[in-house]
Amino acid sequence: MNPAPPVNPTVSSKSPDSAAFPRQFARTRRFSLGVPRHFTVSPDGRRVLFVRTGSGTDPVGRLWQYEDGTEWLLADPGLLIGAAADAVPEEERLRRERARERSAGVVSYATDDAARLVAFALSGALWAVRTDGGAPFPVPAAGPVVDPRPSPDGRHIAYVSSRCLHVVGLAGDDRRLARAEGPDISYGLAEYVAAESMHRMRGYWWSPDSTRLLVARVDTGPVARRYLGDPADPAKPPRAVAYPAAGTPNAEVTVQLLSLAGERVDVAWDRGAYEYLVDAGWDAHGPFVAVQSRDQRTLRTLAVDPATGATGVRHERTDAAWVELVPGTPARTASGAPVLPEDDGGTRFLTVGGRRVTPDGLQLRAVLGVEGEQVLFTASEDPLETHVWRYVPDHGIRRLSRGPGRYSGVARGGTVVLEGVTPHGNEVRVVRGADPVADAGTGDGAPGGVITSLAEEPALAPRPLHLTLGERQLRGALFLPSWHQEGTGRLPVLLDPYGGPGMQLVGRARGWFTCVSQWFAEQGFAVLVVDGRGTPGRGPAWEKAVHGDQLTPALEDQVDALQAAGARCADLDLTRVAIRGWSFGGFLAAAAVLHRPDVFHAAVAGAPPTDQRLYDTHWKERFLGHPQERPENYARSSLAGHGHLLSRPLLLVHGLADDNVAAAHTLRFSAELLAAGKPHSVLPLPGATHAPADDTVNEQLLHFQRDFLLDALRGRAGEPA
């Protein structure tokens, strides 16, 4: 047997770049700064709008325009008097957190239909700029502005202020279309579960003729309150959060049609049976809404009569487990053909006009847009990649993105913007004038150029070895130290999963998480990342294998993958195995040392949902049902009640301002462990949310986790498995 290496090698002498990585990771906000995003293409396809910060370490977003291979700045917050501080109203701050924004300044925008007028909020003020020249100009508003959106004709801008919906002309003739009747009421904003669990980040939609709006009214009165205080600042009053925990009442969401003249029509549907507003829109065929039952087994698309507010069922999807919400659906083509997903066994298909247009095995991920009768969408043939595809009637589907990676995009007027995360990092390619029939398979067309990414190159490059493991063909990535030579010694193993719904970590793409896994490898670990059952990209049957039990299949897959990797790579020391993760990954890490101490010898659990009953209605009831009807599902899928099983070192980390997975999850579980006499460690992060934003915290968290895990595994070399 090869001798075991030191548990804590002198990493700096073997991988000098790894010493610089934690600081770089933090100050680049996970390498997100400097990456172009939020693309809009003009109707003629000649111009592309986007947001990008000034560099890989500059957190201030700026609005840019790209045309004929040239980029130029449309709006720079630093040049707008009084706007640089980016002091945003509370509703906008929460909206940015829900959207996982990591920058300040211009973080989002909206345009008219011609993409000539752009509106954005900055420090609570309303700003606009014309893309055909001229400086940004302020637009008078009634108060702090949230989510401004120009009318399609560019004559007005709608926005939310103090939970009321306003419309203002460019000259400043402000009108309040809907007044919040009380502190629990809002118009035009997405409620918590819509933004967090349904992909719906907005709460109002313009009519194509710019005369009316379809508006969501939210009443959070029935929703239980949580109070988030800052223990590090006891003089600061707590913030009340309307949070609908599993099994408790949701916000009451209704929809109204509002005209600029002040007329109001209520939209009617059976809210008792369908209490969730999943999506809405207004196209040339009229307004529509998508509504879902509380048990999430039925999703209806309803056409709305704009004169009366009456609704009629245009499509219904049902599923014995849950109806998966696919971003960008429902939609309609110019002729009115519905664009919808359809699940059948192992495949999620794209349907247009009730007909499947994608083949068996190609997994629909999202609908990106509809132009005329063409549909732009993302799908995966291989779970390690996601590509942009286009459907053209009478010609079928063609793939637009080339090369390995995970891609998204937008298309309009013959131009396609392909946004990719590749093995070499982020790239944005503009293809101008591609023939949707002849050239779509290669993405070829007139050279459109590249929109530059200013993101920093990581101090160390990920070196994943992609593996297919076990009888379930689990997709995994193994990261070994760059200084390690095969056969020279056995390495302790660190599993680094997410492992839950909605996120894949394994792929042919260099994301921030692959860089972090490689950094841990440079510290002396063999790092294994595995996407098991319940993760996306492998079809509905794979996703729904966790229905009723979010723990057992997920943990089984991590164990099976570890054992299969150990059998293939003799340098993995299965007598020294640790696991770390955040959110669902944190839950999975803690569960591993509770239920499989024979396999896992130490864990770091960041922001773990330890009691599934404390998580929100739409997300948690999707997988486990209503807790009053299926209490056994919550019991088997929670850490709470199993603390007495702990026999391995466990570090719990939690932000005390987390309004997604409340700190109560960790604090209550820690109390349970203490009562059972189970030693453990807790690292509280004052002021931190679910995704800590402080650079120092993010830098030091990497060091803290490494040191904890290395200390926990010290002395285990040579122990029997």
Side-chain angles (χ1 to χ4, degrees), residues 54 56 79 174 194 203 227 249 268 306 311 336 339 370 409 497 524 549 579 600-601 616 670:
L79 301 179
D174 191 280
Y227 299 89
T311 57
V339 178
V370 177
D549 185 351
I579 182 171
F600 299 96
H601 309 113
D616 79 63
S670 174

Side-chain angles (χ1 to χ4, degrees), residues 258-568:
L258 304 179
S259 75
L260 299 188
E263 300 167 335
R264 178 179 302 205
V265 175
D266 292 327
V267 176
W269 77 89
D270 185 356
R271 290 190 56 258
Y274 301 94
E275 65 180 79
Y276 288 124
L277 176 67
V278 170
D279 206 351
W282 201 327
D283 58 19
H285 300 280
F288 63 89
V289 295
V291 296
Q292 190 178 39
S293 58
R294 176 72 181 248
D295 65 12
Q296 301 185 50
R297 294 176 180 174
T298 305
L299 175 66
R300 285 184 168 181
T301 302
L302 308 177
V304 179
D305 185 329
T308 66
T311 57
V313 179
R314 291 296 177 263
H315 189 270
E316 180 176 283
R317 294 172 59 203
T318 61
D319 192 277
W322 72 82
V323 175
E324 184 70 15
L325 306 182
V326 176
T329 64
R332 290 186 285 204
T333 68
S335 66
V339 178
L340 294 161
E342 180 182 332
D343 287 0
D344 187 359
T347 301
R348 176 161 296 131
F349 297 90
L350 172 67
T351 69
V352 179
R355 183 173 66 89
R356 294 177 181 175
V357 299
T358 51
D360 188 67
L362 180 64
Q363 306 295 346
L364 175 67
R365 307 298 291 269
V367 170
L368 302 175
V370 177
E371 186 176 17
E373 300 303 311
Q374 300 181 21
V375 181
L376 195 73
F377 63 98
T378 54
S380 297
E381 295 172 287
D382 178 346
L384 298 186
E385 298 185 12
T386 303
H387 286 281
V388 175
W389 299 70
R390 178 160 45 191
Y391 163 73
V392 181
D394 300 326
H395 296 280
I397 63 169
R398 298 292 181 93
R399 201 178 96 179
L400 304 184
S401 51
R402 294 182 294 177
R406 296 207 183 276
Y407 290 86
S408 185
V410 296
R412 200 177 184 193
T415 292
V416 181
V417 178
L418 295 173
E419 177 186 8
V421 184
T422 76
H424 307 292
N426 297 88
E427 69 172 31
V428 178
R429 188 161 58 92
V430 180
V431 181
R432 176 85 177 115
D435 186 315
V437 176
D439 299 323
T442 62
D444 294 336
V450 171
I451 294 178
T452 305
S453 173
L454 303 178
E456 286 196 0
E457 281 294 306
L460 51 81
R463 305 167 67 245
L465 173 63
H466 290 288
L467 304 171
T468 300
L469 301 166
E471 64 179 14
R472 285 184 289 278
Q473 302 290 287
L474 299 162
R475 301 313 198 266
L478 181 64
F479 299 81
L480 298 174
S482 59
W483 43 264
H484 177 71
Q485 296 182 2
E486 184 177 357
T488 60
R490 304 183 72 200
L491 297 166
V493 183
L494 173 62
L495 272 69
D496 196 9
Y498 179 75
M503 184 181 296
Q504 285 178 280
L505 296 187
V506 181
R508 298 186 184 98
R510 191 187 73 191
W512 64 265
F513 37 85
T514 62
C515 297
V516 170
S517 292
Q518 186 65 50
W519 181 81
F520 274 100
E522 300 301 331
Q523 313 310 299
F525 293 100
V527 178
L528 180 64
V529 183
V530 176
D531 289 334
R533 284 170 288 175
T535 58
R538 292 187 62 174
W542 182 266
E543 292 173 356
K544 294 172 184 177
V546 299
H547 186 233
D549 185 351
Q550 285 197 277
L551 174 56
T552 306
L555 185 53
E556 284 178 351
D557 286 348
Q558 297 299 315
V559 172
D560 290 354
L562 172 65
Q563 293 172 343
R568 292 179 58 172

Side-chain angles (χ1 to χ4, degrees), residues 42-61:
S42 62
D44 61 5
R46 300 194 61 85
R47 297 175 291 110
V48 179
L49 301 173
F50 64 97
V51 170
R52 184 180 60 202
T53 68
S55 73
T57 57
D58 178 5
V60 179

